Amino acid sequence: MKRVLRRSTLIFILTLAFIGGMGYLTFQLIMNADDWVDQPYNAHIAGSGGLAQAGAIYDRNGEVLAQTVDGERVYNENASVRKSLLHVVGDNSLNISTAAQSMYRSQLSGYSLLWGLNMPQSLRSSNDLKLTVDAKTCAAAYDVLASYDKKGACVIYNYKTGEVICSVSTKGYDPQAPPEITEENESEYEGVYLDNVLSSSYTPGSIFKIVTAAAAIENIPDIYERTWDCAGSEEIGGSDITCVEPHGTIDFKQAMAHSCNIVFAELAVELGADTMNKTAEKIGINMSFEVDGVKTAKGNYDVSKANTNQLAWSGVGQYNDEVNPMQMAIICGAIANGGKATNPTLVEDGAASILSAIGINKSGNGREMFSKDTAAQLDEIMRYTITDYYGDDLFGGLTVCAKTGTGEVGDDKEPNGWMVGYSKDEDCPLAFACVVEDSGFGFTYAGPVVRAAMIQAAKSLGASAVSG
């Protein structure tokens, strides 16, 4: 009798475990089926990388970026558009994991939990996908970036609505004629599947002075009354901090406009490691930002163990500082937006477009990076940087606030050339970030990319001020 009871108990436990396991698997299937279908290891589904029956992908203006014709995936007829949006749209290989064709393959292929990929056509809703990017703007940025034959990134987004207008990563290739990557040529295509806008971080150089400036504004009451003497180099902490040129006697706004390393190195030391760390943390340098479910690469700022000279260099964007391009566009957008960031998106939301048209921002504000007062003061000195140094002609008449940077990386490489900023025009509320690896001065290399992209973006948005 006891043996029968033990066996019955064991069978009962196993039955409960089986039912529980089936319930758990059913729950996981319902919740995660779309994600499982999207995984690269399921690329065999529906043939041609799972895209043989996929819907079309459009830009914000209805320009076809990718579509299926007679069972074959084809891409935009303009080569610059195809190449510029490789990392946003993807290709048949699905090797670019953050691209739309990888992230949204279940939606594009018309997958449903009930029918799988065999839903009757009469029951299908549209399986097309509309992106927020503007094809012409991306092509304009790509043509300049590609002319350098270097890795880089350019991103522009609307800091009011969150819509990403331009997202370009180089190096790349033509998705219509992808290269065969072998052991012999793999060095030429190193990192080609990585979207540098989202997934790379770089030494910032002088664009980090925005962070140091924010710390100074919030912690040094007489910052605008002070002057400094820049002789081109100064010993701080036992080693020299160098400037590109001697600036002579210079005040805070002039130091930002002329990117004086001496001033910002001294400010970082005066502020101290704790204040610099806290400011960087508040602004989000050490965190990821999310773009349609994709987390950006984290930046880095930590001077808790830095000596005085290293702390000084950190204030000008050197030492171990790192930032991500999308992150920097968000930070600049937050300055333009009174201190609060707006979450970026690459996929157009129909409901959000309707709400935006009546003045409601569905994407909402993200973290508060700056106080309203600090944002206003940063806005003023970044605007002064353009009017005093670069000139509005650079951006075709747009009212722009900006900062360039030249991030020294060592190892016999040229610096990272940066330009970040935003336009203040009501009909063109765009923040931008551009980096060109192993290039040189930010104004010389990133500047022309930003100019081409911002002018085209402004034209595409119908901005009244733009020319050129």
Side-chain angles (χ1 to χ4, degrees), residues 198-214:
L198 298 174
S199 304
S200 295
S201 58
Y202 303 89
T203 302
S206 291
I207 62 169
F208 195 83
K209 289 171 183 171
I210 294 170
V211 179
T212 309

Side-chain angles (χ1 to χ4, degrees), residues 291-302:
V291 183
D292 301 320
V294 177
K295 289 188 177 297
T296 66
K298 292 182 180 180
N300 179 74
Y301 185 84
D302 182 5

Side-chain angles (χ1 to χ4, degrees), residues 285-307:
I285 296 298
N286 294 323
M287 67 175 283
S288 291
F289 294 85
E290 191 166 301
V291 183
D292 301 320
V294 177
K295 289 188 177 297
T296 66
K298 292 182 180 180
N300 179 74
Y301 185 84
D302 182 5
V303 290
S304 56
K305 297 181 180 179
N307 61 38

Side-chain angles (χ1 to χ4, degrees), residues 163 214 275 424 434:
E163 296 170 308
T275 298
K424 293 166 63 72
C434 177

Side-chain angles (χ1 to χ4, degrees), residues 338-358:
K340 289 187 177 181
T342 300
N343 301 324
T345 181
L346 276 158
V347 179
E348 186 169 289
D349 183 331
S353 298
I354 295 171
L355 292 172
S356 178
I358 59 175

